[in-house]
Amino acid sequence: MTSLDPLEFVDTKSYKDRLKEAIKSTGLKEAVVSVEGDMGSHRVQLVVFEFAFLGGSMGSVVGEKIARAVERSIEKRQPLIVVSCSGGARMQESMLSLMQMAKTCAMVRKLSEHRIPFISVLTDPTTGGVSASYALIGDVVIAEPGALIGFAGPRVIEQTIGQKLPEGFQRAEYLLEHGFVDMVVERKKLKEAIIKILDVLCGDKYVS
Amino acid sequence: MKYLDFEKGIEELERRIDELTSVGRGAGVDIEAEVKRLKKKLNRTLIRIYRNLTPWQRVQVARHPSRPYTLDYVNYMITDFFELKGDRRFGDDKSIVAGFGKFEGISVCVIGHQKGRTTKENIERNFGMPHPEGYRKALRVMKLAEKFSIPILTFVDTPGAFPGIGAEERGQAEAIGENLYEMVSLRVPIIVSVIGEGGSGGALAISVGDRILMLENAIYAVISPEGCASILWRDSAKAPNAAAALRLTAHELLKLGVIDEVVKEPIGGAHRDPKVAANILRRAIRRHLKELLHKNPYTLLKERFEKYRKIGVFVE
């Protein structure tokens, strides 16, 4: 699945050329890869971002791939894991990108109605339209140590308020402290942490 | 009235009309005839200029300091209005107003961004840029609307969600995401009207609905033209180029399928006649509300979900 260029967006380069270059340099068609696989005893749907592809920005394709992963999750009753790494919405698709925020949240809502777990993993960075949509509303939100996570980028904030930002601001540990992520887990231990969560959430339960 | 840089001809004509009328009545038939002639000319000039606005010129109109804001529309189209304040978590964000009232006799919930007219008001309203508590207040009140089966009208007019330390500390991203997540399944009709600036996620956070209407000089984009220009062109002076590239006008967004209807403005923009602007918008809202009130919640939510499920342009 690849992006079209509905806006025929051109800045100092055309969006079409930027896409071609990104495809060539990353060997990927878009900024996310989705797979189905096993984690421990659980079959899961996994979507992973590639920051090297236009800053991991979310345009129509990224939104659609997340939507389809949710649909597969529902159809097969498998947990969804999204590993985000993104600067936010893709500028070159403007409103069509912005609408992917609403679309992915609508899908996460569907998943929730089907009572299937959504584990959101935030890596460095997870900002803008990705943080402000599905990424922070996971059933369980895990961040990698030191990951930059926030709505506005630090440079924009500094320019707006005209002061230096405190040390550690918008880092994973800061979000943990302020109650917006559940745990900070280093990459080596992520798999183990996720399996443990799934074992409990999807394991044998008391049914009255 | 502030004149925009492309309104020179209009300014000159209005000044002459003012001069002539201040000379006074009784000064002769000639003056009256001249005023009449100038007014006709003014009208033609307004039509000519406003028919061919560039995207960047529309950005300027959308941000015009006299442009009607949410509470102006409330004033013209809502009776018995009362405002509800605070998110019950942290505080009251005055850059978003939330409340209930009657729209043509029907109870409605009103949510909208609110800018200020004066510097003092703008500081109070934070220039229409909400903090998380603004979005959380909006959601709290929309849930009340759902509880009492009252349709929701939202009015969108913000440069964006506020980028600041407190906003981040209190979860700006989470607050926006939560609204998107909840609004898609509120069991009452939601009609969104983009009346001025649709500034990215800060606008979207109260813009998920069954119908998205947009005034013809309003704008809506993923980033401000200035922000886009400084990132992609590395030069914020290229904002006019970015405004064109972003396809942020109502007509372009209708073509892209992002919005449902372009709502006309009075000649020369909504700020030249807020009352007429409100009347035109009121008729559009009434028409959509009538349609939506006939749908049962199941159909309403199914259609709303589909609207968002299918949005995007790609090839396989």
Side-chain angles (χ1 to χ4, degrees), chain A residues 133-182:
Chain A
S133 57
Y134 70 86
L136 284 171
I137 57 171
D139 296 321
V140 179
V141 183
I142 306 174
E144 282 194 333
L148 180 78
I149 301 157
F151 175 66
R155 206 168 50 94
V156 174
I157 300 174
E158 277 185 349
Q159 279 170 1
T160 308
I161 63 174
Q163 63 189 75
K164 277 262 165 236
L165 298 171
E167 186 72 26
F169 180 66
Q170 294 184 311
R171 296 292 166 183
E173 298 73 15
Y174 176 93
L175 272 90
L176 183 70
E177 186 66 26
H178 286 89
F180 291 101
V181 305
D182 293 296

Side-chain angles (χ1 to χ4, degrees), chain B residues 268-290:
Chain B
H271 60 288
R272 287 207 156 70
D273 201 334
K275 195 175 173 182
V276 169
N279 263 322
I280 303 172
L281 181 57
R282 184 222 311 263
R283 283 199 292 272
I285 291 175
R286 177 207 293 153
R287 182 160 36 79
H288 289 287
L289 194 57
K290 268 194 177 165

